[in-house]
């Protein structure tokens, strides 16, 4: 080992005691604490040394030795008391003070013990008594080195103070034996240095390792709590932060939890690529963080959901912030040269009315978001207690719905669609009916949206298409069957093939199947939907645009897709919107149908007057209670059979008004 290295090791050896301690303050405190930890060892050491000194004083009967023994005992008592105090209230005493008193006591004790042993040698007392006190002093010196290995200056200070007087006295004594005694004691120093330094290094390394793994664990925790895309907190991150936020706010201000779901984000991701999708999320995350800076925190949950917890003064305050949040989301952004506009739905829960715990607030904001989305896009909803009841009902229906198919509780009813000119049935619309053994009749308006949400609509729809196709196969060949199709069913893999297989197995020509779709199918510009419609149209299946006028009513869809029928929503015929204006709309739609060669069906006809009205407007087909409600397949077949007799046919014409 070269000199520089050696001095470096010495420096490192004592470094832990210097101000620029490479070990942390925490480690320093831990080491100081350990000085006092083995109180029993400290006590035994002090008592044996005091006893040995007292024995030596008594045997030699020398005043100096009595005096030194008394001094040693006083120091021992002082040290034991000090150790007890440190053990009882270690937090009250500063580590620096603890270390200083320990050091003073230890050094004084060692020096006095060394002086007693040296005096025994110098005064040439009884040889056995000399052996007793020298072995006692050296034993103490070695033992204390091991005990204080974590504090090398204390360890070596004590060893030096206890041994040096003996070495000096032995050298002065002059005999060969005494000279060898001095030599062997002196050799203790390098030996103890090696032992102490290896203990000390092991201790230091383990402290370093503990520090490193603690730092690593802290780093991992930060990663686990952060969303890698936006750098915002993720769900676990918010779960960790929210209770603190709520605690700080308690009694001072309200906390509003906003749960945001971006509308049609999936489309951006699918059509423009994940890179742009990620950039959109990051931009929105940054905007929201800036908006609530200093009064709230923003987190991104899986996919396209953001959750914001912010301090507000009141419910109107939360409302205002919600509109500011939506404003930030809606502000157009430019990503890689593309202009992108986003929108979102928001659910809000507010302390203390909607919950006081993080868990409650999250559940309620989520529920409010669910309701907001159920109403339509870009809606804001505050939580309200009725939502919980609705949710419970939905959950029950959802669970029961999965079983309904296997328990054969579902049936299909058929509602006639008649020719307004002849009164003859041209088509039957297949409508799902569910009679639950306990809950009774459940309306499709209730269970179809739930089936759509939970995905059960796919198997329900497949089953219903098969049933309807089988029923229709037994009807006269000029009567069609219409089946309602949910967007989710269309998106399911192999949907087109499934429908073609169902009609082939039932023996129904494709031209006799009509699929009713609503405009919201086209809100997502998915290539899958285009393929589905193209594939089935090519096979001969017909398409009807259902509930026209109830939604966006874009004429673009009509020119773009091969519809053979448009069904004017019943709200224009018999519903709340019926009236002079709606008559004009029906008229306009019917004229357009005539020009484009598309049949126009008026839905919801309940009276003879309405029949005349829609016929005058130019509608070619009609559907509604006036012509008949949805009936089981046997009755539908019976209606058709009756119609084929001349008398019934005349009746049908009469019915048509
Ligand atoms: P929709 O497709 O518009 O079906 C017509 C609805 O209007 C039926 O209600 C029918 O009973 C009702 N209706 C017919 N004539 C009149 C009338 O004169 N006055 C009034 N007030 N209502 C009339 P229903 O059977 O309760 O079905 C409600 C909705 O549930 C349907 O509306 C359809 O969107 C959905 N639905 C029903 N069955 C299925 C199905 O098998 N699959 C899918 N995807 N949706 C279905
Ligand atoms: Ca329909
Ligand atoms: Ca309809």
């Amino acid at each position: 080992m070269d000199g520089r290295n050696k001095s470096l090791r010495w420096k490192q050896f004592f470094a832990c005691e210097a101000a620029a301690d490479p070990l942390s303050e925490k480690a320093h405190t831990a080491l100081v604490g350990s000085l006092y930890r083995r109180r029993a060892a400290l006590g035994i050491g002090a008592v044996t040394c005091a006893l040995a000194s007292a024995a030596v004083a008594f045997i030699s009967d020398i005043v100096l030795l009595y005096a030194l023994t008394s001094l040693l005992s006083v120091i021992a008592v002082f040290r034991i008391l000090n150790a007890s105090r440190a053990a009882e209230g270690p937090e009250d005493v500063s580590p620096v003070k603890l270390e200083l008193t320990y050091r003073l006591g230890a050094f004084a004790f060692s020096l006095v013990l060394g002086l007693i042993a040296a005096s025994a040698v110098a005064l040439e007392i009884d040889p056995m008594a000399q052996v007793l006190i020298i072995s006692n002093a050296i034993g103490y010196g070695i033992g204390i080195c091991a005990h204080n290995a974590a504090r090398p200056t204390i360890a070596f200070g004590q060893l030096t103070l206890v041994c040096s007087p003996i070495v000096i006295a032995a050298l002065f004594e002059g005999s060969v034996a005494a000279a060898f005694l001095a030599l062997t004691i002196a050799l203790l120093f390098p030996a103890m240095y090696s032992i102490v330094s290896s203990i000390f290094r092991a201790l230091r390394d383990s402290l370093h390792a503990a520090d490193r793994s603690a730092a690593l664990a802290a780093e991992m925790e930060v990663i686990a709590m952060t969303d890698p895309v936006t750098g915002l907190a993720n769900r676990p991150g918010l779960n960790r932060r929210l209770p603190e936020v709520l605690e700080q706010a308690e009694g001072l201000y309200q906390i509003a939890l906003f749960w945001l779901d971006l509308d049609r984000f999936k489309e951006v991701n699918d059509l423009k690529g994940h890179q742009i999708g990620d950039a959109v999320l990051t931009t929105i995350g940054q905007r929201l963080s800036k908006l609530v800076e200093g009064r709230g925190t923003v987190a991104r949950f899986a996919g396209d959901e953001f959750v914001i917890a912010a301090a507000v003064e009141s419910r109107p305050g939360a409302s205002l912030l919600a509109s500011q949040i939506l404003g930030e989301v809606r502000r157009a952004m430019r990503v890689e040269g593309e202009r992108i506009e986003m929108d979102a739905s928001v659910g809000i829960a507010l302390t203390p009315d909607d919950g006081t715990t993080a868990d409650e607030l999250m559940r309620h904001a989520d529920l409010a978001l669910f309701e907001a989305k159920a109403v339509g896009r870009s809606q804001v909803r505050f939580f309200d207690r009725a939502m919980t009841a609705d949710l419970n009902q939905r959950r029950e229906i959802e669970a029961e719905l999965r079983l309904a198919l296997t328990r054969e509780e579902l049936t299909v009813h058929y509602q006639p669609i008649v020719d307004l000119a002849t009164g003859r049935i041209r088509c039957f619309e297949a409508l799902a009916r569910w009679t639950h053994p306990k809950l009774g009749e459940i309306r499709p308006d209730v269970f179809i949206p739930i089936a759509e949400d939970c995905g059960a609509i796919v198997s329900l729809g497949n089953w219903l298409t098969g049933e309807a196709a089988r029923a229709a196969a037994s009807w006269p060949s000029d009567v069609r069957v219409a089946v309602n199709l949910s967007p989710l069913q269309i998106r399911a893999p192999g949907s087109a093939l499934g429908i073609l297989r169902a009609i082939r197995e039932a023996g129904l020509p494709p031209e006799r199947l009509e699929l009713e779709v609503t405009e919201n199918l086209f809100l997502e510009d998915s290539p899958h939907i285009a393929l589905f419609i193209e594939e089935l149209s090519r096979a001969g299946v017909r398409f009807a645009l259902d509930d026209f006028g109830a939604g966006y009513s874009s004429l673009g869809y009509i020119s773009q897709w091969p519809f053979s029928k448009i069904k004017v929503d019943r709200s224009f015929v018999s519903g709340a919107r019926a009236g002079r204006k709606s008559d004009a709309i029906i008229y306009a739609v019917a004229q357009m149908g005539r020009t484009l060669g598309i049949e126009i069906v008026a839905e919801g006809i309940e009276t003879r007057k309405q029949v005349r009205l829609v016929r005058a407007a130019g509608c070619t087909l009609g559907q509604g209670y006036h012509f008949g409600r949805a009936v089981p397949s046997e009755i539908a077949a019976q209606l058709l059979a009756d119609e084929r007799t001349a008398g019934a046919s005349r009746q049908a014409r009469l019915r048509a008004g």
Side-chain angles (χ1 to χ4, degrees):
M1 190 193 296
D2 64 35
R4 241 186 82 234
N5 242 341
K6 203 168 184 173
S7 83
L8 194 75
R9 269 188 59 187
W10 269 105
K11 262 187 207 146
Q12 278 177 351
F13 185 65
F14 292 107
C16 69
E17 321 230 349
D21 193 342
L23 295 174
S24 66
E25 186 56 35
K26 200 176 80 211
H28 188 103
T29 313
L31 288 176
V32 172
S34 79
L35 292 175
Y36 290 102
R37 202 162 296 139
R38 286 171 290 269
R39 270 192 298 157
L42 194 77
I44 291 169
V47 169
T48 20
C49 292
L51 276 178
S53 309
V56 167
F58 179 74
I59 293 164
S60 61
D61 202 20
I62 295 172
V63 179
L64 175 68
L65 290 178
Y66 275 122
L68 288 172
T69 300
S70 308
L71 184 59
L72 189 77
S73 304
V74 170
I75 298 168
V77 170
F78 164 77
R79 295 191 70 205
I80 290 168
L81 288 178
N82 202 34
S84 305
R85 227 188 59 207
E88 275 160 20
E91 10 352 90
D92 304 344
V93 196
S94 83
V96 179
K97 200 169 162 207
L98 267 183
E99 195 184 343
L100 190 73
T101 43
Y102 183 93
R103 199 184 283 239
L104 277 175
F107 286 170
F109 190 86
S110 305
L111 181 65
V112 174
L113 186 61
L115 287 176
I116 294 172
S119 311
V121 174
L123 297 170
E124 292 178 2
I125 62 163
D126 178 85
M128 239 10 240
Q130 282 190 47
V131 170
L132 168 67
I133 195 67
I134 290 169
S135 57
N136 186 272
I138 293 171
Y140 176 81
I142 293 170
I144 211 72
C145 264
H147 178 262
N148 291 343
R151 278 280 175 269
T153 48
I154 299 184
F156 272 88
Q158 285 190 271
L159 189 67
T160 310
L161 289 171
V162 81
C163 292
S164 309
I166 307 174
V167 173
I168 295 165
L171 284 176
F172 273 102
E173 206 265 350
S175 71
V176 177
F180 271 99
L181 177 69
L183 181 69
T184 49
I185 294 175
L187 283 175
L188 269 180
F189 284 91
M192 285 321 289
Y193 166 73
S194 161
I195 292 168
V196 166
S197 63
S198 79
I199 295 176
F200 177 69
R201 267 201 306 275
L203 200 91
R204 246 174 65 115
D205 290 351
S206 75
L207 274 170
H208 266 310
D211 263 10
R212 256 211 318 275
S213 67
L216 206 68
E219 212 173 292
M220 295 298 287
E221 196 179 300
V222 170
I223 292 171
M225 303 273 168
T226 310
D227 164 41
V229 175
T230 57
L232 298 170
N234 56 11
R235 189 188 281 262
L238 189 74
N239 282 344
R240 161 75 64 91
R241 229 178 265 175
L242 197 53
E244 272 171 45
V245 170
L246 291 174
E247 205 178 315
Q248 279 168 7
E250 214 181 321
L252 296 173
Y253 41 82
Q254 288 177 277
I255 293 292
L257 201 73
F258 302 86
W259 198 314
L260 254 85
D261 186 305
L262 300 183
D263 294 336
R264 297 164 73 183
F265 173 73
K266 198 179 164 300
E267 227 167 272
V268 174
N269 232 6
D270 290 351
L271 296 177
K272 306 201 189 295
H274 285 252
Q275 221 167 329
I276 293 196
D278 284 358
V280 167
L281 291 174
T282 310
T283 308
I284 290 178
Q286 284 166 349
R287 287 181 184 176
L288 296 177
S289 301
K290 201 158 165 233
L291 178 70
V292 298
E293 202 175 359
R295 63 160 160 163
T297 174
V298 184
R300 180 196 163 219
F301 283 14
D304 54 359
E305 291 180 14
F306 288 88
V307 175
I308 302 161
V312 292
E313 275 120 40
S314 58
R315 200 162 278 261
S319 232
L320 178 69
L321 186 53
S323 51
Q324 287 170 331
I325 287 171
L326 273 182
E328 289 300 331
V329 174
R330 286 180 185 148
R331 192 148 52 81
M333 61 185 93
R334 198 160 277 282
V335 182
E336 292 182 14
E338 295 228 30
R339 183 187 152 89
I340 292 175
E341 281 181 56
M342 299 299 299
D343 210 332
S345 306
V346 188
I348 313 170
L350 194 65
T351 57
D353 295 352
D354 306 338
T356 46
T357 65
D359 181 53
E360 233 181 333
L361 278 180
M362 293 263 229
R363 261 189 300 117
H364 290 165
D366 189 21
L367 209 59
L369 172 66
F370 181 84
E371 293 283 328
K373 286 202 291 190
V375 179
R377 285 160 204 276
S378 60
Q379 296 285 323
V380 177
R381 278 282 173 284
F382 272 94
F383 169 75
D384 112 38
R385 295 277 156 193
M387 290 176 184
T388 322
D390 284 355
L391 181 77
N392 291 340
Q393 196 205 1
R394 281 185 79 93
R395 285 216 181 107
E396 187 181 5
I397 289 179
E398 196 178 306
E400 291 295 312
L401 192 58
R402 292 181 190 279
L403 301 170
L405 269 173
T406 51
R407 290 196 300 217
E408 297 186 355
E409 290 165 13
L410 287 163
T411 50
V412 188
H413 281 200
Y414 300 88
Q415 186 179 31
I417 298 174
V418 305
D419 190 318
L420 287 174
T422 65
R424 286 176 74 97
I425 298 169
R426 294 263 303 274
C427 182
F428 275 106
E429 178 176 359
L431 294 161
R433 291 290 175 263
W434 180 15
T435 312
H436 187 272
K438 271 199 230 120
L439 303 170
E441 183 108 5
I442 302 170
R443 292 178 30 184
D445 291 342
V446 174
F447 73 81
I448 295 287
I450 297 176
E452 286 175 335
D453 273 346
C454 71
I457 193 72
V458 176
S459 45
L460 189 154
N462 289 344
W463 166 81
L464 188 132
T465 309
E467 285 287 298
R470 269 191 295 281
S474 68
W475 302 337
S477 61
D478 59 340
V479 181
R480 298 197 169 92
V481 69
V483 170
N484 293 286
L485 223 55
S486 294
L488 209 83
Q489 253 174 289
I490 299 172
R491 266 189 253 125
S495 50
L497 284 177
I499 288 169
L500 291 175
R501 193 186 318 122
I503 52 175
R504 197 176 51 243
E505 281 173 5
L508 185 76
E511 303 75 40
R512 289 181 59 202
L513 176 70
E514 210 154 55
L515 297 175
E516 294 192 2
V517 296
T518 53
E519 283 168 299
N520 52 23
L521 178 68
F522 305 107
L523 287 179
E524 44 187 300
D525 191 14
S526 146
H528 190 84
I529 288 164
L531 274 176
F532 175 89
I533 295 180
E534 261 166 40
E535 201 174 336
L536 289 171
S537 293
R538 224 180 307 121
V541 174
R542 294 157 59 101
F543 281 88
L545 184 59
D546 202 359
D547 302 343
F548 187 74
Y552 296 80
S553 313
S554 159
L555 297 178
Y557 302 131
I558 296 172
S559 60
Q560 195 182 346
W561 304 103
F563 291 115
S564 51
K565 244 184 216 173
I566 293 169
K567 300 183 80 178
V568 177
D569 192 66
R570 65 172 181 264
S571 59
F572 290 97
V573 179
S574 55
R577 285 201 265 181
R580 196 183 287 255
K581 263 193 193 161
S582 65
D583 291 349
I585 292 171
I586 300 173
Y587 182 82
V589 176
Q591 296 314 306
M592 178 188 66
R594 189 174 299 157
T595 319
L596 297 173
I598 299 173
E599 284 198 282
I600 306 297
V601 188
E603 287 188 323
I605 300 176
E606 292 177 350
T607 64
R608 203 168 280 209
K609 191 178 159 215
Q610 287 161 355
V611 178
R612 280 198 292 272
L613 242 159
V614 298
R615 201 198 281 132
C619 296
T620 49
L621 299 170
Q623 178 182 7
Y625 297 161
H626 172 72
F627 302 112
R629 292 182 182 248
V631 291
S633 66
E634 312 83 65
I635 298 181
Q638 189 60 49
L639 279 177
L640 288 169
D642 288 353
E643 211 182 52
R644 308 285 133 168
T645 67
S649 170
R650 225 184 4 258
Q651 260 192 355
R653 260 196 294 278
L654 274 174
R655 219 177 358 168

